[in-house]
Amino acid sequence: MSINPTYTGMELRRIVRDPVGLFFTAALPAFLFVIFGATQAFKDESAGNGNVGLYIMVSMAAYGAVTATTSIGGGAAVEKMQGWGRQLGLTPMRDASFVLSKAVTALTVACVPIGLIYLIGALTGAEGTVQAWVLSALVVLGGAGVFALYGLCVGLAFRSESAVGAASGTLVIFAFLGNVFTPLSGTLLDIARFTPLYGYISLARYPITEGWLVSTQDGAAMVQEPLWVPVTNLLVWGAVFAVVATMLVRRSRGRQ
């Protein structure tokens, strides 16, 4: 399985020609970080290998990254309506190559909100060890590729322009259920461990928290979670999305 450089380059050029879409992809998560992190007095409080500002910065960067990658993948529905899928069916490009090219395109676009939010964080007092900054950025970018596949699954499953909105909209639900916006505990935390965003966001924060979670069930108690929990979550969901996306691409071509 290999990337199709011609198709990937064409996709990137198409996205760059839509600056309005890029603006909103990057601006909303950056705005959320400014409102709920950068301008808050508690951002300077200590949080593991950094401060609260860094913790919130990573969370918002991860949310922005998956929003970008999911939107790119979900755009497959619009392509189908325009007959682009039929044209690709006439080329020698294999299904797996198509899926991988979509994922690479989405990761490239995800660099925009990640870079913007990390820049704002650096300018507004987000602090942490060099290792925490670098490793969290790498996890945020790499893990976002899983949700390019998720967006692709939704885009291929629904035959309307609402597919992109549906894919992005469900991310908000996944974010609340996945411990992204507010600390969860008890039964809600147990449920969160099985949701798609939980493993990704936990791994992104791990260089800062080293697995320590804030439990609101018993006041401000701290509990430590083994690394294998978020790793397993992300790997399992990544495998599920990859298999489903490939099957849907194959089914789509078969109908054409």
Side-chain angles (χ1 to χ4, degrees):
M1 182 173 65
S2 61
I3 300 171
N4 186 303
T6 301
Y7 178 72
T8 304
M10 183 173 59
E11 282 285 282
L12 289 173
R13 287 192 295 272
R14 179 177 64 84
I15 294 168
V16 169
R17 294 192 186 105
D18 182 21
V20 175
L22 282 176
F23 173 79
F24 283 105
T25 296
L28 179 58
F31 175 76
L32 291 175
F33 169 60
V34 170
I35 296 299
F36 297 109
T39 58
Q40 299 297 322
F42 55 75
K43 69 181 177 63
D44 297 320
E45 297 291 330
S46 177
N49 294 321
N51 59 9
V52 174
L54 184 67
Y55 180 92
I56 298 175
M57 182 197 76
V58 171
S59 303
M60 292 300 103
Y63 178 70
V66 297
T67 300
T69 55
T70 299
S71 297
I72 299 299
V78 178
E79 293 177 359
K80 287 184 63 178
M81 291 182 61
Q82 296 173 342
W84 184 236
R86 187 177 298 108
Q87 294 296 321
L88 290 177
L90 299 174
T91 70
M93 185 168 63
R94 303 179 64 179
D95 297 330
S97 181
F98 170 76
V99 172
L100 184 58
S101 295
K102 277 286 188 182
V104 170
T105 301
L107 283 178
T108 303
V109 176
C111 290
V112 178
I114 294 173
L116 178 60
I117 293 172
Y118 269 63
L119 176 61
I120 295 174
L123 295 175
T124 56
E127 296 180 353
T129 63
V130 174
Q131 184 177 15
W133 278 83
V134 174
L135 291 181
S136 65
L138 291 176
V139 174
V140 167
L141 179 60
V146 172
F147 294 88
L149 299 175
Y150 165 70
L152 184 60
C153 289
V154 176
L156 292 170
F158 297 94
R159 300 181 179 185
S160 69
E161 294 185 1
S162 64
V164 178
S168 299
T170 54
L171 280 181
V172 179
I173 300 174
F174 288 155
F176 278 105
L177 292 176
N179 207 31
V180 176
F181 296 140
T182 57
L184 302 177
S185 61
T187 302
L188 288 177
L189 183 59
D190 293 335
I191 295 173
R193 292 189 173 101
F194 293 94
T195 61
L197 271 175
Y198 181 83
Y200 170 59
I201 196 68
S202 297
L203 285 176
R205 293 167 174 166
Y206 202 89
I208 304 170
T209 65
E210 296 183 345
W212 288 99
L213 304 174
V214 177
S215 174
T216 58
Q217 189 175 28
D218 300 310
M222 299 290 291
V223 294
Q224 190 171 34
E225 182 173 71
L227 181 58
W228 66 264
V229 174
V231 170
T232 301
N233 175 283
L234 186 62
L235 290 178
V236 169
W237 279 107
V240 169
F241 293 149
V243 170
V244 173
T246 301
M247 292 175 60
L248 288 173
V249 169
R250 191 165 299 158
R251 184 189 70 175
S252 175
R253 285 191 175 184
R255 290 178 175 177
Q256 296 165 357

